[in-house]
Amino acid sequence: MSDQKTPQEIGAHALNQAVHYADKADRFANSSFSSVKEYADHIAIYGGLATVYADIAKAAALTDHA
């Protein structure tokens, strides 16, 4: 049995992670204005991670259809 993941499994995991980090960024972004200023670095980091994972999911989807 192979431990290698299929592109579909990789994409599903990456998409799940993208949603997870986007939700975290959203929670920080939708707090009070003073908190948003205080946590701007957290918002940027979680937003960046969400983008990276979304790109991985997209690449996996394209690979799966190739």
Side-chain angles (χ1 to χ4, degrees), residues 34-64:
S34 62
S35 293
V36 170
K37 287 173 53 178
E38 182 178 340
Y39 292 117
D41 56 337
H42 289 75
I43 296 166
I45 290 168
Y46 289 136
L49 285 169
T51 300
V52 168
Y53 277 111
D55 287 345
I56 292 169
K58 181 180 174 183
L62 294 173
T63 302
D64 198 29

Side-chain angles (χ1 to χ4, degrees):
M1 180 178 254
S2 175
D3 288 335
Q4 186 173 358
K5 303 288 184 199
T6 66
Q8 184 179 11
E9 291 170 321
I10 293 167
H13 175 73
L15 187 57
N16 184 46
Q17 291 298 102
V19 170
H20 171 75
Y21 286 115
D23 284 346
K24 284 186 122 177
D26 185 60
R27 274 186 263 139
F28 280 108
N30 285 320
S31 57
S32 68
F33 179 72
S34 62
S35 293
V36 170
K37 287 173 53 178
E38 182 178 340
Y39 292 117
D41 56 337
H42 289 75
I43 296 166
I45 290 168
Y46 289 136
L49 285 169
T51 300
V52 168
Y53 277 111
D55 287 345
I56 292 169
K58 181 180 174 183
L62 294 173
T63 302
D64 198 29
H65 291 93

